[in-house]
């Protein structure tokens, strides 16, 4: 069987992109290898670990479970783009201050997911924060520092 | 793990999908949310010849109240079902189940129809569909076909859907004022596949159970109505502990739990009994506060 | 020049020693600008994929790669036999410090025979990973299945097939420690408790899988490998020697590493094979172990059955421990660290906190047709601590003594060091008593007991667990890493240089996987030298740029690497002050460096900037007398001299709730009191403890590699191998006691692993405490809801 390809046109981090991709290539492989956006990571490729989390059309998704062809016409935001928008600068600073990351491999996915939690703009208990993160694997921190960083950021935002 | 080669079509119309299904049958797979299909592709557990992407078919998406039924389009994302005021009001069983469906990112892409079509034994939506007496609507080039949930789920990953049919929507009767529903499941970690779960719908008249649809999932090969357990509580009060004990007992015959490295069948039967007791207690509380 | 009159940076106010600072690496990572091995691309790079054995044990009768070679994008297909010809020899995972140990020679790709499901058999190198996998599917292997050895309990039975016939049997190693008079101690004891413990097989599940990118320059003969390894110098040695390339022509670069936990201190045949392909093809080859292959190729650990006995007097004095350890090593002894180390550590540390004199411990390590096992975070300690601490708890319960009190009675006194444990380990600078007192206060032990009693009456079953522990860190050269023969340095080194602008480059042989080694080294250097932290840049993880070292393993980075930095920085400081003395016509003893400024010690008057020293020392050297030659670059190496390890100690407390109807366990809270000597960066130390505890909880409640009788791994994906996730984990309180180590000036000890070592013990003790009113007990890990229900007799 030959390698089927398709043309896609999409917006990635605010930039319009057109490429020809193998139809079997998943979105994160496309972002990493075709666009050099290596901030999204691959930890399992079966949709469990969350390291591949990216924002597609405003919602956080598992990038390894989407084909690049499916992103045709979509707006994709990776950790690089999210950083540039400044949307979570406070959260990122809280992560650094609290050491809510060690090896950093889960971190882009964690931040993507946490960004969605913060966007809901409503108070959350620690337990609710933990539940929100239930689909993001971290092996280094034991999660507590991550919960701390999100909790403090959320509290500061709701104060405003 | 990179997916094997396949052909891909982004469908623009329902007719196109049905034509392709008629042509390719089991060699084709429907790509909706992809949350279950994509892992199997990445792990090379399945090697379909053709993927039919239906994500553009917006007509297949949506939640509407239609008289005494709620229509949920097959392509409706879990997150939209979870956030729907219509579902919260008229299908509280589904609303209660939604937080248990996997995780945020999976709910953002995964679809209601995808969950029903796959019929994973541990999935929440098939259990709810059965408990609520949903009707599944299937389309093919031969026409439209309705299948009651009781007939739809037939075995392990086996449903009434023929290879050339597409699940288009579910029509779910709204919960009646006299009804109370309870959802519960047990999983070692939040979002994991349930080892045991219940989706109960009870019609209650002054604390007496007039009718009961007790659905068990996670332990069985498909969502399963428990006739013996239901019979044990019909006509009895929700506060009648011996009726509840009889229901638990009846599960021995109603259920045939599967065994897995994580949980034996004995364990699952036991958990279903515990869930039964707890869910009926919750139902009693809910009726009390109504 | 006497150092005594220089005031120690350890004593200064506002010192970087003992200060929480955030990590520079963290700022990159939160922006998605981490640089992991798979993020690196080289021109004309190819990708490797492997055909792996689907059988636990099978003869490879023939391999036909002809169809595979023809597949699109394929550059090379290599069999085990072909790779063997490119290697100087097979690996044999034995060390002389384990006398009598035997292991069969192992080739990086299986040659005649595959010995575990997942063993790599053939390699495809192609333009993309997807194409490599497509082609690998076309490799035809004629297999002849052989009987598989999977049950370690019967591995030495005469009827069980011998995995490696040349070894004669399936025994890898046996070891006994016997103080003598153990049987007498048991015979005379008022109470003997005996129990059998099971520990599931684990795999590390680092989120970034093993990754390697090899590039070989045929013109210069230089091999450059970028790899997610904790031990670049060891990889340099092993790969150089195995592939016949002079070691000094091999550069290993470990960029950002996405988690390791000991997984990445080892050498792997698939990585070696990918490197050989790069050499053969003269093109860079990248290999990423995907998640499914990680489960069947990363080293495993922890598969042990332990029979344990404790002998106690009726007043609660521990008289003796006696343990029998059966360890399942897998198909080969992993090269070069062996697969027997975990079992020997169990022998070394079980009952380690206590004063008893009588101890007998036997370890038997056997081969099985499973993934080879080797060192993984906290090596042996989770097992030994779980056994010892459970037996102590059981003794307390049977004698009606509080678990805290029985420990108070038996732990080594803080003023009793140096001491020797019953297992023969020399211990010093420990603080069991202080730690226990701190824990009781920290967790409000009395309050928790009251709450537990109250809730029990309402049918809510909570349990309190306590676990005292010792942890061996920072090994020295007199045992395993040194006399044993492993090509792994137990020394570590620092080269520290003053740059012309007054900045400092500090190159170290230890490595950072996110725990903050680079930051800690920078803090030590800055404190020792007297400069702001931003003046210091730490280099690590590149064998071309750093002095020879051991990398990071066994929690050694701060204790060993940090001491080398400290001493080298002090040397540089001395030279700077000597130069300053010459330039200022002043006594160096009367000068100090504070915030990169050379000042008068007496009144703090500023005399010269460090930048001036840099400028003169490097460029305008004519301003100095002819007899003075500035070097401004200092190297120091540090190692333990007499000690085998720097032992640390601590105690953990856990509060859990068990649902007796469902068997489900809720972790409410954990408390840790940790003594890791002098703290350099308290937050980083705390976070090591937290992360370590959660990893240990994984072993206690969730993780096990499930093998069937045919040697098939049944749960080799993240769906079915359960690891701790956020919703189920507790908050963990960490408190430190600081008893500086006497073996170094810095006095820092290791901290990275102890959380993992003790958490399984404390969680199991807490669960058993909750189950006590039911007369139920669990002694197998992971403790699953099913095992709880079975213990309760509910199913």
């Amino acid at each position: 069987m030959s390698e089927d390809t398709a043309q896609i046109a999409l917006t990635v981090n605010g930039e319009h992109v057109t490429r020809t991709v193998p139809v079997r290539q998943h979105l994160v492989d496309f972002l990493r290898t075709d666009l050099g956006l290596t901030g999204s990571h691959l930890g399992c490729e079966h949709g469990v670990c969350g390291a591949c989390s990216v924002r597609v059309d405003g919602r956080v998704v598992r990038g390894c479970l989407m084909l690049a062809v499916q992103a045709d016409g979509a707006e994709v935001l990776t950790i690089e783009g999210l950083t540039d928008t400044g949307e979570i600068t406070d959260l990122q600073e809280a992560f650094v201050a609290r050491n809510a990351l060690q090896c950093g491999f889960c971190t882009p996915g964690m931040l993507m997911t946490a960004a969605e939690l913060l966007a809901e703009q409503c108070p959350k208990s620690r337990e609710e924060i933990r539940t929100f993160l239930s689909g993001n694997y971290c092996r280094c921190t034991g999660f507590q520092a991550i919960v701390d960083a999100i909790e403090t950021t959320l509290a500061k935002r709701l104060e405003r | 793990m990179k997916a094997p080669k396949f052909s891909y079509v982004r469908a623009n119309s329902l007719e196109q999908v049905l034509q392709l299904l008629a042509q390719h049958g089991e060699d084709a797979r429907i790509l909706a949310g992809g949350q279950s299909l994509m892992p199997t592709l990445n792990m090379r557990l399945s090697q379909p010849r053709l993927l039919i992407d239906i994500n553009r078919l917006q007509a297949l998406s949506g939640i509407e109240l239609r008289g005494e039924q709620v229509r949920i389009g097959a392509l409706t994302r879990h997150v939209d079902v979870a956030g729907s005021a219509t579902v919260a009001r008229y299908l509280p069983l589904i609303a209660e189940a939604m937080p248990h469906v996997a995780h945020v990112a999976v709910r953002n892409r995964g679809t209601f129809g995808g969950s029903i079509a796959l019929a994973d034994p541990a999935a929440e939506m098939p259990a709810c569909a059965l408990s609520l007496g949903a009707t599944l609507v299937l389309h093919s080039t031969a026409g439209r076909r309705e299948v009651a949930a009781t007939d739809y789920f037939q075995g392990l990953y086996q449903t009434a859907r023929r290879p050339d049919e597409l699940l288009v929507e579910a029509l779910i009767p709204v919960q009646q004022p006299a009804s109370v529903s309870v959802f519960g499941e047990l999983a070692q970690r939040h979002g994991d596949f349930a080892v045991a779960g219940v989706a109960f719908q009870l019609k209650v008249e002054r604390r007496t159970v007039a009718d009961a649809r007790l659905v068990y999932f996670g332990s069985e090969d498909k969502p399963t109505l428990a006739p013996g357990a239901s019979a044990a509580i019909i006509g009895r009060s929700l506060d009648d502990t011996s009726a509840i004990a009889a229901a638990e007992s009846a599960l021995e015959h109603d259920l045939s739990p599967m065994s897995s490295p994580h949980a034996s069948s004995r364990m699952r039967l036991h958990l279903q009994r515990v869930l039964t007791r707890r869910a009926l207690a919750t139902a009693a509380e809910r009726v009390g506060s109504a | 020049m006497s150092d005594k009159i220089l005031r120690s940076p350890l004593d200064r106010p506002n010192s970087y020693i003992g200060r929480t600072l955030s990590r520079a690496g963290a700022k990159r990572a939160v922006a998605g600008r981490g640089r992991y091995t798979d993020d690196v691309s080289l021109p004309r790079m190819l990708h490797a994929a492997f055909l792996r054995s689907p059988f636990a044990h099978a003869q490879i009768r023939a391999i036909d790669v002809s169809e595979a070679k023809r597949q699109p994008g394929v550059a090379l297909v290599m069999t085990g036999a072909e790779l063997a010809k490119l290697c100087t020899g097979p690996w044999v995972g034995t060390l002389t410090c384990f006398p009598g140990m035997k292991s069969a020679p192992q080739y990086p790709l299986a040659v005649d025979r595959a010995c575990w499901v997942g063993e790599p058999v053939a390699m495809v190198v192609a333009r993309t990973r997807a194409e490599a996998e497509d082609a690998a599917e076309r490799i035809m292997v004629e297999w002849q299945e052989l009987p598989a050895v999977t049950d370690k309990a019967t591995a030495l039975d005469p009827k069980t097939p011998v995995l490696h016939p040349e070894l004669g049997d399936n025994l890898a190693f046996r070891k006994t420690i016997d103080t003598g008079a153990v049987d007498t101690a048991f015979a005379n004891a008022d109470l003997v408790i005996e129990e059998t413990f099971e520990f599931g097989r684990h795999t590390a599940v680092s989120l970034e899988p093993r990754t390697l990118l090899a590039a070989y320059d045929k013109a210069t003969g230089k091999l450059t490998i970028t790899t997610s390894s904790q031990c670049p110098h060891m990889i340099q040695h092993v790969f150089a020697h195995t592939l016949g390339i002079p070691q000094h022509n091999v550069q290993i670069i470990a960029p950002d590493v996405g988690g390791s936990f000991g997984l990445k201190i080892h050498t792997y045949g698939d990585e070696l094979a990918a490197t050989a392909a790069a050499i053969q093809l003269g093109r860079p080859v990248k290999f990423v172990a995907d998640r499914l292959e990680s489960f069947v190729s990363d080293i495993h650990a922890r598969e042990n059955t332990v029979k344990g006995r404790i002998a106690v007097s009726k007043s609660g004095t521990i008289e003796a421990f006696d343990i029998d350890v059966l360890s399942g090593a897998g198909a080969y002894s992993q090269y070069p660290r062996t697969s027997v180390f975990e079992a020997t550590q169990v022998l070394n540390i079980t009952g380690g906190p206590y004063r008893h004199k009588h101890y007998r411990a036997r370890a038997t390590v056997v081969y099985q047709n499973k993934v080879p096992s080797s060192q993984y975070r906290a090596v042996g300690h989770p097992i030994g601590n779980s056994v010892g601490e459970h037996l102590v708890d059981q003794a307390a319960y049977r004698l009606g003594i509080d678990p805290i009190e029985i420990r108070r009675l038996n732990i080594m006194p803080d003023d009793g060091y140096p001491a020797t444990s019953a297992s023969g380990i020399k211990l010093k600078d420990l603080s069991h008593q202080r730690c226990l007192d701190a824990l009781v206060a920290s967790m409000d032990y009395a309050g928790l007991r009251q709450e537990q009693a109250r809730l029990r009456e309402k049918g809510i079953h909570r349990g309190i667990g306590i676990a005292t522990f010792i942890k061996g860190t920072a090994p020295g050269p007199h045992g395993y890493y040194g006399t044993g023969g492993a090509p792994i340095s137990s020394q570590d080194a620092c080269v520290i240089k003053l740059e012309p602008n007054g900045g400092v480059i500090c190159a170290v042989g230890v490595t950072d996987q996110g725990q903050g080694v680079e930051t800690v080294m920078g803090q030590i250097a800055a404190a020792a030298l007297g400069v702001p932290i931003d003046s210091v840049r730490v280099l690590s993880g590149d064998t071309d740029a750093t002095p020879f070292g051991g990398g990071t393993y066994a929690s050694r980075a701060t204790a060993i690497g940090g001491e080398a930095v400290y001493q080298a920085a002090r040397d540089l400081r001395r030279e700077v002050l000597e130069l300053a003395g010459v330039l200022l016509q002043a006594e160096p003893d009367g000068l100090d460096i504070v915030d990169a400024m050379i000042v008068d010690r007496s009144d703090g008057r500023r005399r010269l900037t460090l930048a001036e020293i840099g400028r003169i020392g490097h460029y305008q050297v004519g301003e100095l007398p002819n007899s003075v030659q500035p070097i401004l670059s200092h190297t120091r190496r540090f190692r333990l001299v007499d000690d085998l390890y720097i032992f640390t100690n601590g105690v953990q407390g856990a509060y859990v709730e068990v649902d007796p109807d469902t068997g489900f366990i809720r972790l409410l809270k954990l408390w840790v009191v940790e003594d890791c000597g002098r703290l350099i960066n308290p937050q980083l130390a705390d976070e090591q403890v937290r992360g370590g505890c959660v990893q240990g909880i994984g072993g206690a409640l969730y993780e096990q590699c499930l093998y069937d009788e045919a040697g098939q791994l049944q749960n080799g994906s993240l769906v079915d191998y359960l690891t701790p996730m956020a919703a189920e984990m507790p908050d963990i309180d960490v408190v430190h006691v600081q008893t500086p180590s006497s073996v170094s000036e810095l006095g820092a000890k290791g901290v990275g692993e102890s959380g993992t070592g003790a958490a399984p013990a404390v969680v199991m003790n807490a669960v058993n405490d909750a189950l006590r009113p039911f007369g139920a007990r669990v002694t197998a890990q992971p403790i699953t809801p099913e095992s709880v229900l079975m213990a309760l007799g509910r199913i």
Side-chain angles (χ1 to χ4, degrees), chain C residues 276-351:
Chain C
I279 295 168
Q280 181 130 313
L281 291 167
R283 288 174 67 173
V285 174
K286 179 184 277 186
F287 169 58
V288 181
D290 68 38
R291 185 52 56 192
L292 293 189
E293 67 188 324
S294 294
F295 272 102
V296 292
S297 60
D298 291 353
I299 52 99
H300 285 181
R302 307 282 199 259
E303 186 189 329
N304 280 264
T305 303
V306 181
K307 293 196 179 90
R309 297 197 306 155
I310 190 172
V312 196
S313 77
K314 59 177 176 285
S315 60
T317 304
I318 298 170
E319 303 292 351
F321 277 96
D322 180 9
I323 63 169
D324 204 312
V325 178
L326 176 63
S327 197
Y332 290 95
S333 176
Q334 185 76 4
Y335 179 80
R337 296 184 194 245
T338 83
S339 300
V340 308
F341 194 69
E342 179 146 63
T344 62
Q345 280 296 66
V346 178
L347 265 52
N348 286 335
I349 61 98
T350 302

Side-chain angles (χ1 to χ4, degrees), chain C residues 229-247:
Chain C
S229 174
Q230 296 171 238
C231 302
H233 285 102
M234 182 205 73
I235 297 290
Q236 182 196 52
H237 173 102
V238 173
F239 279 47
H241 286 258
T242 307
L243 294 168
I245 295 177
Q247 189 170 350

Side-chain angles (χ1 to χ4, degrees), chain B:
Chain B
M1 304 118 52
K2 305 302 177 187
K5 286 186 264 208
F6 48 78
S7 294
Y8 168 90
V9 167
R10 191 182 302 123
N12 289 309
S13 70
L14 178 57
E15 292 66 45
Q16 185 189 10
V17 176
L18 301 181
Q19 286 293 343
L20 288 167
L21 285 176
Q23 193 185 335
H24 294 278
E26 272 163 357
D27 283 343
R29 300 292 295 275
I30 297 292
L31 176 60
Q35 303 303 287
S36 301
L37 178 61
M38 288 301 303
T40 65
L41 289 179
N42 290 344
M43 293 195 276
R44 296 198 177 208
L45 291 175
S46 68
Q47 312 229 1
R49 197 171 297 161
L50 172 68
L51 246 53
I52 307 168
D53 184 342
I54 62 168
N55 284 284
R56 290 272 162 94
L57 306 182
Q58 282 315 305
L60 298 186
S61 189
I63 302 167
E64 300 115 44
L65 180 66
R66 292 180 183 174
E68 290 299 300
Q69 284 182 330
V70 175
R71 176 251 177 188
I72 301 182
L75 199 56
T76 312
R77 311 275 173 198
H78 290 306
V79 64
D80 294 323
V81 174
S84 160
T86 305
V87 168
R89 173 135 180 234
Y90 295 107
L91 305 174
L93 182 67
I94 290 181
E96 192 176 11
M98 287 311 306
H100 295 275
V101 174
H103 309 280
V104 171
V106 174
R107 294 196 292 272
N108 280 346
R109 279 297 287 178
T111 64
F112 184 82
S115 180
I116 302 286
L118 176 65
D120 188 293
E124 293 81 4
M125 291 302 105
C128 290
L130 181 59
S131 184
L132 295 172
T135 300
L136 288 324
V137 179
L138 303 159
H139 282 237
S140 70
T141 49
R144 183 181 179 280
R145 191 161 76 98
E146 286 189 1
V147 180
T150 34
D151 301 320
Y152 187 82
F153 303 102
Q154 296 177 347
L156 188 63
Y157 299 105
Q158 289 182 334
T159 68
R161 186 186 70 85
R162 293 193 284 257
D164 66 333
E165 288 180 310
L166 180 73
L167 176 67
V168 159
E169 63 195 4
L171 303 170
I172 312 173
V174 308
Q175 183 170 297
Q176 297 303 311
S179 282
V180 63
S181 62
V182 182
F183 182 89
E185 73 171 56
L186 288 167
Q188 261 203 282
R189 304 172 308 174
H190 185 90
D192 278 355
F193 291 114
V195 288
V198 295
F200 288 178
Q201 222 207 153
L202 307 172
K203 188 163 157 210
V204 181
E205 285 154 14
R206 273 196 266 114
R207 299 188 80 74
T208 298
V209 179
D211 196 10
R213 286 178 75 81
L214 305 184
V215 170
Y216 293 82
F217 71 98
S219 60
E220 311 304 295
D221 62 354
K222 59 187 200 307
T224 302
L225 275 162
S230 303
I233 60 170
I234 289 173
R236 312 292 286 272
S237 163
L238 277 172
D239 309 307
D240 183 345
T241 49
S242 66
I244 293 168
E248 289 178 46
S249 216
L251 291 178
E252 172 107 39
H253 300 288
D254 286 343
L255 302 180
S256 317
M258 302 182 292
S259 220
S260 78
H262 291 304
S264 68
S265 48
R266 253 175 45 242
M267 159 88 162
R268 290 176 195 255
L269 177 62
H270 171 86
L271 292 180
Q272 294 292 34
R273 287 182 164 144
V274 174
L275 283 176
T276 300
R277 190 180 335 132
R278 292 183 180 180
L280 291 176
T282 303
E285 272 170 42
R286 287 181 181 172
V287 165
S289 58

